[in-house]
Amino acid sequence: MKLIPFLGFNGNTHEAMAFYAKALGGKVVSEMKYGDMPPSPDMDMEGCGGFTPDADQVAHCQLEVGAAILMAADGPQAEGQTATTINVDVDSVEEAERVFAALAEGGQVQMALAETFWAKRWGMLVDRYGKPWMVNCMKPMEGGQ
């Protein structure tokens, strides 16, 4: 299991992650804009928690510094604020379901745990203490990366 900080920005994810890569001596290894996401019947733009992103905003960005990972995306925050979510990356569907259910107990599910184009299972929730979480069981990336 990996616990990965996931930063939310108000439209400047690309700029911020390039800055962090330079400052930390890392490399942005992937970036996808909302307009580049394949269509999904279960997750349209209205399905992003009521957030309707611009096609040129960043839906996912990943920075790596050695073994450390930092992820980010543009999303809904109050003006001038950013959000941090903990992303739990697990190796199996069973572990994703177990962790998601445990964290959701007494909390609020924002996006139900389900298969997506990038993950065997992915979901979002706010736990009983008001902290945001994502649970990911990733699919293998094209090219084996």
Side-chain angles (χ1 to χ4, degrees):
M1 179 184 298
K2 294 179 193 169
L3 301 177
I4 302 168
F6 191 100
L7 306 177
F9 293 94
N10 283 323
N12 59 349
T13 295
H14 177 82
E15 176 185 333
M17 293 296 273
F19 169 78
Y20 297 146
K22 183 176 180 182
L24 299 171
K27 181 179 179 182
V28 173
V29 297
S30 67
E31 181 175 295
M32 177 181 280
K33 295 182 179 184
Y34 285 102
D36 296 330
M37 293 175 66
S40 172
D42 297 327
M43 195 165 66
D44 59 16
M45 290 302 187
E46 293 300 317
C48 294
F51 168 62
T52 305
D54 292 333
D56 62 340
Q57 287 185 309
V58 175
H60 173 77
C61 187
Q62 183 165 320
L63 165 65
E64 295 181 2
V65 183
I69 297 172
L70 182 65
M71 294 179 174
D74 292 315
Q77 285 99 41
E79 191 61 36
Q81 294 183 344
T82 61
T84 301
T85 300
I86 303 298
N87 177 41
V88 182
D89 185 22
V90 298
D91 293 330
S92 71
V93 169
E94 296 78 19
E95 184 71 349
E97 291 171 351
R98 183 194 70 75
V99 169
F100 192 85
L103 289 170
E105 188 175 322
Q108 272 192 321
V109 172
Q110 295 178 310
M111 297 291 287
L113 192 68
E115 186 171 358
T116 66
F117 72 89
W118 73 87
K120 296 174 190 173
R121 294 291 183 277
W122 175 81
M124 292 177 61
L125 62 98
V126 175
D127 71 19
R128 68 175 78 182
Y129 304 104
K131 302 301 179 191
W133 295 83
M134 287 187 285
V135 175
N136 256 306
C137 177
M138 303 295 284
K139 291 180 179 174
M141 295 178 74
E142 289 183 28
Q145 299 177 351

